[in-house]
Amino acid sequence: MDDALVAYNSGRLDGAAGCRDEQIAADTEVGADYRIGLLDGRIAAYHLISEVRDILGVTGSLFEGPDDFR
């Protein structure tokens, strides 16, 4: 149980940071817990960015096209 919680938390942190550890994700024992945490972290990051955009009053895209961020 402790390994599952550690894997979930690691996945949540990685998801919030926008990265993924393929080795842990492929693990047969804790990979599923890691992937669930990864998804939860990505969702939490999305909600955080959404809230910041609402606070700042940002509507629409920040870029006019897909390559305008450079």
Side-chain angles (χ1 to χ4, degrees):
M1 180 69 174
D2 289 340
D3 290 340
L5 292 174
V6 169
Y8 173 83
N9 190 46
S10 178
R12 188 162 163 77
L13 292 174
D14 285 352
C19 61
R20 178 181 172 149
D21 188 333
E22 295 295 328
Q23 184 177 5
I24 298 173
D27 189 276
T28 56
E29 291 183 21
V30 295
D33 299 308
Y34 175 81
R35 291 189 303 271
I36 294 295
L38 187 74
L39 180 61
D40 286 348
R42 297 291 298 227
I43 292 170
Y46 172 81
H47 285 292
L48 177 64
I49 291 169
S50 177
E51 288 295 321
V52 169
R53 289 175 58 94
D54 287 344
I55 290 168
L56 296 176
V58 176
T59 58
S61 176
L62 296 175
F63 307 105
E64 291 186 23
D67 295 328
D68 290 343
F69 63 91
R70 293 182 187 167

